[in-house]
Amino acid sequence: GGVAGDAVVIRDVLVGDVWVASGQSNMEWMVSQSNDAAAEMAAADYPLIREFRVRKNGVVDGVSTGSGANTVSMGAKDMGAMKTGAAGVGGTEKGWVVCSPRTVGDFSGVAYFFARDLFRSNGVPVGIINASYAGSFIESWIPEEVLGGEDGFKIVGERWAKQLADYPRLKAEYDEALAKWRGEEADAKAKGLKIKRSPPRAPVGYGHHQTPSSLYNGMIVPVAGYGVRGFIWYQGEANILRANEYRALLEAMVTSWRDAFKQGDLPFYIVQLPPFDTVVDPSRQGWSGVREAQALAAGALKEAEVAVIMDTGNARQIHPGDKQDVGRRLARIARSKLEGSGEEFSGPRLSGASVEGDKVRLRFTHTTGGLKLGQGPWKWFEVAGADGMFHGSAQARVDGDTLLVWSPEVEKPVAVRYGWHNAPEVHLTNGEGLPAMPFRVEVGK
């Protein structure tokens, strides 16, 4: 832009759809880190796709705790830069970055592939506001007045208060452990060796980005005045050990973000967590609990949907490289819901169940092209009787638009679940090849 007399001249203006992309590391994960990165970057000649990257910034008691040299600090000046595309925002970077083979490597992979899929289908320019932060808890993205309000989340405040109370002791222990580690590192280096043990991890305390409400204050509030088409959200890994809290927190977050943007029930599309096996969850069900919470929250909210990606993960990698399919699933939802494309955007979703003798008949929605059952053994179909013990590798058979499930070990079934594990395999899809959403259901009572 420039000034001619009293006129302000603004160039390179696009009119299109802007989406806020937020969450933790899997949303932050860049194109350069995704599958086939070199080829994807070389082919990324899409100047009508652009990304504005919000600086990683927590705000606690009105004080910024932000960091990150390659990101953008948000303030009044920055909002102007978002509108004009001006460079030099916050003295750190460019503001809106035009997608090209040179720049796209730093874009959010999920957001870029989502934007690319939409642009290829309708030709409408897409702007991405990338407000993501690795390792973030969902409570960090929710306003303080919501967490602490009359209908607030008491457990969140109590847990954080304990964390702060324990911090001095934990910090002292950390300092001692770090000094010991550095001594071991120096000894190893003197011998021409490399220390095998990782350094200790610093404890979380006041000002950390996991502080409740801090990322809402520092990364959502500053962009809330911008006109957007909707949100895409990929988070939950940090909350797997508290899955029972996640549904209410997610519903509260979606509602508070919509209130902040003041544009009605803006579309909110949630990426359901993919398979990942982890030793920190002894029950091996924490990820299932968050997946269920994501689905229940989306079902309770208007204009909210879940992208099921059970076939895209990597049981040994918490950051799976397949961000392309994640973006495509989200784009399918957007086209179907917002453009009326009519395309199927989900795999089978359980809609009902009934007992028939020693079998359970399961009914589904989103069965476009019919139910498709892979070859057995079907390890991730499980049936339980009155004792509550689930028996895996149940038998299954497609019967029209329904599925019959049974176990020779259960004479009178009372419950069935599918994919109820951190890292299940995909057995059930529809004719579009889209995987079924994991579920659990009680029957026969």
Side-chain angles (χ1 to χ4, degrees), residues 20-90:
V20 176
S22 188
Q24 58 182 105
S25 55
N26 271 307
M27 182 61 84
E28 188 178 333
W29 207 249
M30 297 183 293
V31 173
S32 62
Q33 299 167 302
S34 304
N35 289 352
D36 304 317
E40 293 287 16
M41 289 187 289
D45 187 16
Y46 294 100
L48 299 187
I49 296 175
R50 303 184 181 186
E51 183 186 70
F52 188 97
R53 194 170 170 199
V54 181
R55 183 169 71 101
K56 290 183 177 181
N57 184 34
V59 171
V60 182
D61 295 333
V63 178
S64 172
T65 61
S67 63
N70 295 321
T71 49
V72 182
S73 177
M74 293 297 298
K77 178 181 177 183
D78 306 320
M79 288 300 295
M82 291 181 73
K83 295 170 183 175
T84 65
V89 180

Side-chain angles (χ1 to χ4, degrees), residues 77-125:
K77 178 181 177 183
D78 306 320
M79 288 300 295
M82 291 181 73
K83 295 170 183 175
T84 65
V89 180
T92 55
E93 227 202 281
K94 306 184 203 32
W96 284 108
V97 177
V98 177
C99 175
S100 72
R102 182 180 61 83
T103 64
V104 76
D106 291 336
F107 282 33
S108 158
V110 168
Y112 166 68
F113 294 121
F114 166 73
R116 184 182 70 177
D117 214 47
L118 287 179
F119 179 75
R120 283 175 170 175
S121 64
N122 61 23
V124 175

